[in-house]
Amino acid sequence: MAHAYTPGLRVARKSRLTRERVLPLKGELLVKVGDAVRAEDVIAKSELPGPVTVLNVINQLGIEPEEIREYMLKKEGDTFKKGEPIAENKPILGLSFLKTQVKAPIDGVVESISEITGQVVLREPPQPVQIHAYIDGRVIKVMPDEGAVVETVATFVQGIFGVGGEAWGELEVVVKTPHDILTPEMIKESHSGKILLAGKHLSRNSFERAREVGVKGVIVGGFHDKDLKEILGYDLGVAITGAEKIGLTLILTEGFGEIPVAERTFNLLKERSGMRASISGATQIRAGVIRPEIIIPYPEEEWEGAREVENVSAQAVAEGDPVRVIREPYFGMLGTVKRLIPGLEVVESGSKVRVLEVQFEHGTSAIVPRANIERIEE
C-alpha cells in the first residue's frame, strides 16, 4: 500500500504522555522524583527582577554629583514606599519650607547611587513566577533549580485551533449531540470553574456568558473568526497563541464556522465527563507545530495497558486513514484518504505539488495538496 507523510492530530482514549514544566530562569524546585502531583500544584517557583526607574537627583536638588551621598536619605539596599522621601537638600538659614525633597515614584529598593552621573537607580519589587504541574500525574524527572517532568496516562485529544492559556477543572458535557449549539441559557452559575464540552458552535453571547460565570474553558467544534477578532480586539494572524488574557481557554476541535465536533472526538470526551481535565489553547500552525490539547488523566491504578504517545512530527498516512484538512477551501473538514495520487499535480495557485484525494464525511470528495491535511491518530 502507498504511504505519504503528514502531521498527525491525535485523538486517543488511553495514552501515556509527559509534560516538561520549566521555569524561565533558575529558581526553587518544590518536588522530587516519585511525587504525585495535581494540576494546580506549584512545582517550582522563582522571581523576575522588577523594572528600574532612574532619578536624576542632582538636577532636582541643584547639587554636584560628588555630593549626592550627603543628601541621600536612603542608601543602596534600602527599601521604600511610593511617595517616601529618598533625598533632600539642607534648608537655607534653617527655613524648612525652603527644603526640597526627592520622593520615590514607586515602591522598591535603592539599587545604585552614582557619584559620577548623580543618578539614583530604583528597582521595583521582584515579580513572583510559579510553574504548576498542569496535569494530574507523577514526577518522573527533575531539573535542579529549573523544573520537572510530569507523567500521566490520559484521554488525549488535540484540537485544530485554540486561544487562552493552561487551565484545569471538571469536564462537563452541556449538549446532547455534537450537532447542538451551546446557547447562553445553557450556561449556569454551577458551571463556574468547569471545562465545558459544546457542540458545533459557540456564539459571542455564549462566550461572554461563560466568561461571566467563571467557566475555565470551552471545547467546541467551531467558532466564527469575526467573533474571535472582536473578543481579542485585534486580528490574530499566524502568531503562536496561548498567552491571550480573555478570561477562559477556547479550543476548536474542527475549525472556524459552525462545524460539529467529530463524532469520535465527542464520544471519547463524553466518556470522561465529570473527570478532571487539563487544557491548553496554545497553537502554532507553521514550523514547529503546536496544537491545542485536552488531557483527561486516569487514576494511577488504571494506568496499566496505556499506549505510548510517539513524539514525532510526521507519520505515514495511507488510503483509508482518517484526516482533517487544515487549509482553505476545505479548512476543518474531516474525511478519509480515498487515493494517493503519484507524481506532481498543478493546483489552483499554479504550483506543482503532491496531492491526494479525500473522501469527506458528507459523501463528496476533493483533490487536496498533501501539505494541507493532517492525519487523525486514533
Side-chain angles (χ1 to χ4, degrees):
M1 181 182 292
H3 289 78
Y5 286 86
T6 177
L9 189 71
R10 296 187 174 94
V11 179
R13 174 169 277 102
K14 197 173 185 180
S15 293
R16 186 179 300 272
L17 51 87
T18 60
R19 288 294 175 268
E20 188 175 82
R21 313 296 293 163
V22 181
L23 290 165
L25 72 169
K26 288 186 180 294
E28 180 184 0
L29 185 62
L30 304 176
V31 295
K32 63 183 183 300
V33 172
D35 283 353
V37 292
R38 301 268 282 178
E40 64 270 21
D41 290 345
V42 177
I43 64 171
K45 63 181 182 179
S46 185
E47 291 184 335
L48 288 173
V52 299
T53 298
V54 179
L55 294 182
N56 197 323
V57 172
I58 62 169
N59 283 357
Q60 294 187 50
L61 298 183
I63 59 175
E64 296 299 319
E66 60 269 20
E67 301 176 298
I68 188 170
R69 291 187 184 275
E70 300 176 31
Y71 295 84
M72 292 295 300
L73 301 175
K74 300 284 185 179
K75 61 182 183 298
E76 283 99 340
D78 285 351
T79 59
F80 50 82
K81 295 291 185 182
K82 181 178 180 179
E84 183 180 350
I86 61 171
E88 64 181 19
N89 63 9
K90 300 168 183 176
I92 301 173
L93 301 176
L95 300 175
S96 59
F97 64 87
L98 295 178
K99 181 169 60 177
T100 300
Q101 292 184 326
V102 178
K103 296 183 177 181
I106 57 171
D107 292 344
V109 63
V110 178
E111 184 158 292
S112 66
I113 301 170
S114 175
E115 297 173 347
I116 298 175
T117 65
Q119 294 179 331
V120 176
V121 177
L122 312 177
R123 186 175 291 276
E124 293 184 35
Q127 304 298 311
V129 177
Q130 297 181 332
I131 297 296
H132 295 86
Y134 171 52
I135 54 176
D136 296 352
R138 190 166 291 277
V139 176
I140 62 168
K141 179 182 177 182
V142 297
M143 291 78 80
D145 306 322
E146 294 183 2
V149 176
V150 180
E151 181 184 58
T152 194
V153 168
T155 297
F156 181 49
V157 174
Q158 289 180 313
I160 196 167
F161 186 81
V163 287
E166 297 172 350
W168 43 85
E170 180 186 330
L171 177 67
E172 182 167 335
V173 182
V174 287
V175 294
K176 293 181 178 180
T177 77
H179 299 273
D180 295 336
I181 292 176
L182 179 60
T183 63
E185 297 74 29
M186 298 167 68
I187 303 172
K188 311 298 183 183
E189 295 290 338
S190 60
H191 290 143
S192 177
K194 294 185 178 182
I195 295 168
L196 306 183
L197 174 59
K200 71 176 183 180
H201 181 58
L202 178 77
S203 69
R204 169 75 183 276
N205 289 339
S206 295
F207 178 92
E208 296 294 351
R209 173 61 179 166
R211 180 161 58 181
E212 177 187 326
V213 305
V215 169
K216 290 288 192 69
V218 178
I219 304 162
V220 67
F223 195 76
H224 286 309
D225 53 354
K226 63 178 180 61
D227 288 340
L228 181 61
K229 182 177 181 179
E230 290 176 4
I231 289 167
L232 295 173
Y234 57 89
D235 201 342
L236 198 57
V238 295
I240 184 171
T241 72
E244 299 78 18
K245 305 298 183 183
I246 57 174
L248 59 84
T249 298
L250 178 65
I251 294 180
L252 313 185
T253 64
E254 315 307 323
F256 290 104
E258 297 188 12
I259 314 173
V261 179
E263 291 279 353
R264 62 177 73 91
T265 301
F266 186 86
N267 292 335
L268 191 60
L269 295 176
K270 188 176 180 180
E271 289 178 7
R272 305 302 309 282
S273 182
M275 306 303 293
R276 280 167 53 90
S278 298
I279 61 175
S280 171
T283 308
Q284 180 171 294
I285 298 177
R286 289 189 168 184
V289 172
I290 298 171
R291 293 295 184 202
E293 63 182 16
I294 305 148
I295 300 172
I296 313 172
Y298 285 90
E300 195 165 350
E301 59 268 22
E302 299 180 26
W303 284 16
E304 188 176 350
R307 65 186 295 272
E308 300 292 331
V309 173
E310 297 178 346
N311 185 23
V312 294
S313 59
Q315 54 192 298
V317 61
E319 292 177 4
D321 282 349
V323 294
R324 181 196 317 269
V325 183
I326 59 172
R327 290 183 177 85
E328 296 294 351
Y330 306 106
F331 181 79
M333 293 181 65
L334 300 174
T336 57
V337 177
K338 183 177 181 180
R339 183 166 54 105
L340 293 172
I341 300 173
L344 301 177
E345 296 283 335
V346 178
V347 293
E348 188 175 350
S349 66
S351 302
K352 288 186 175 182
V353 299
R354 295 191 178 277
V355 299
L356 49 73
E357 185 176 3
V358 177
Q359 181 76 46
F360 295 119
E361 291 185 333
H362 52 65
T364 63
S365 64
I367 304 299
V368 180
R370 295 183 186 182
N372 290 5
I373 64 105
E374 58 187 1
R375 182 178 183 275
I376 299 176
E377 179 187 328
E378 298 180 274

